[in-house]
Amino acid sequence: MPYNANPTKISQRANLLKAELIKRLGGKCVQCGSETMLEINHIYGRTWQPRKLTHYRRVLRYRKEAAEGLLNVLCEECNKVYRPVARG
């Protein structure tokens, strides 16, 4: 069976890549320092619709945006109140 024919493996791989990305981005919330319930945050907001991408493709896009300095890490609570920074 080809790799892409197994959705469970694809999802597991996406979760692994996302965890690696969070670690590379510092592994803790940039607001409060928490190391639990971490989420990837778009500093300037997102210009694309996540629902149009699979979980795996979304994580690949996050990796590209992280390399461009467009992402940081927030815990779930801080991300609830975060408002994107205006560009410019």
Side-chain angles (χ1 to χ4, degrees):
M1 174 184 331
Y3 175 78
N4 60 0
N6 188 334
T8 302
K9 282 190 177 183
I10 295 170
S11 182
Q12 290 172 345
R13 178 70 177 147
N15 288 335
L16 179 63
L17 290 174
K18 186 175 179 183
E20 289 172 0
L21 178 58
I22 288 173
K23 186 175 179 182
R24 190 172 47 182
L25 290 170
K28 62 183 178 181
C29 177
V30 297
Q31 296 282 336
C32 70
S34 174
E35 296 181 359
T36 60
M37 302 297 292
L38 298 176
E39 299 177 351
I40 293 173
N41 176 58
H42 289 82
I43 298 168
Y44 304 108
R46 187 175 43 234
T47 59
W48 49 275
Q49 296 297 318
R51 71 178 180 270
K52 295 187 177 190
L53 296 174
T54 65
H55 183 206
Y56 186 78
R57 293 274 182 208
R58 209 174 318 141
V59 172
L60 293 179
R61 179 166 256 179
Y62 290 157
R63 291 174 69 185
K64 180 179 179 260
E65 291 176 329
E68 296 170 359
L70 301 175
L71 302 178
N72 64 11
V73 176
L74 293 176
C75 68
E76 183 178 8
E77 291 301 313
C78 290
N79 204 13
K80 285 180 184 176
V81 295
Y82 181 82
R83 298 295 170 250
V85 175
R87 283 193 169 175

